[in-house]
Amino acid sequence: MKKLTDRHLQKLVVVTELPLEKVVELNDMGILNSDRVIELLIKFDWKLLIKRNNNLLARQRIKAIAKEYNVSDYYVKKCVYTHQQLNHFCQHCGNEITKLEYSRNGGLCEKCAVESIKI
């Protein structure tokens, strides 16, 4: 885990719209996952650089962000180009289910869907 700097915490305030005191308190308590926070900030900075200066090449943005967060170019590419899959959970029992199962059964797992059938 990387240590979050004051600059990172200030950017996190902008992203989350939480007060700075609250973000610092959460960081001091060790509640913030620094790897996840840095990933979030990388995605935020990526979008910000695109809005600010669209003339930059993707590799230039990647290198600038990698330098800012002291991570590899590969890590920045991974954060920016991979999409995290959303987890779906059964609305009855709470077990994790696939997206297909969720949409097919109206938010229920196979077991709960079978139990809900009235004969």
Side-chain angles (χ1 to χ4, degrees):
M1 286 179 117
K2 297 193 176 290
K3 183 170 175 13
L4 296 174
T5 64
D6 291 337
R7 183 176 167 137
H8 296 153
L9 295 177
Q10 289 174 349
K11 282 186 181 181
L12 187 60
V13 166
V14 173
V15 173
T16 61
E17 299 177 358
L18 290 172
L20 180 61
E21 298 81 26
K22 192 66 169 176
V23 172
V24 170
E25 180 183 339
L26 291 172
N27 187 46
D28 291 343
M29 291 170 50
I31 294 176
L32 295 178
N33 180 343
S34 61
D35 292 336
R36 184 70 179 115
V37 168
I38 289 177
E39 182 180 335
L40 178 72
L41 294 177
I42 287 172
K43 289 178 182 183
F44 176 76
D45 284 345
W46 179 264
K47 291 176 185 175
L48 188 67
L49 284 175
I50 289 174
K51 284 181 185 176
R52 253 198 242 152
N53 190 352
N54 205 11
N55 296 334
L56 291 175
L57 298 173
R59 68 174 179 261
Q60 292 171 326
R61 286 191 295 258
I62 289 169
K63 291 219 179 271
I65 292 171
K67 182 180 174 188
E68 169 70 22
Y69 295 102
N70 196 23
V71 296
S72 68
D73 292 356
Y74 173 77
Y75 185 78
V76 174
K77 287 178 189 177
K78 189 178 100 176
C79 291
V80 171
Y81 293 124
T82 58
H83 300 286
Q84 188 175 16
Q85 291 184 338
L86 299 175
N87 296 336
H88 297 280
F89 298 94
C90 175
Q91 294 176 351
H92 185 261
C93 68
N95 288 333
E96 189 171 356
I97 56 177
T98 64
K99 180 179 180 180
L100 176 65
E101 197 173 13
Y102 185 87
S103 61
R104 180 179 54 218
N105 298 330
L108 299 175
C109 67
E110 290 294 327
K111 183 180 175 185
C112 293
V114 169
E115 291 175 1
S116 69
I117 297 173
K118 304 281 191 242
I119 297 180

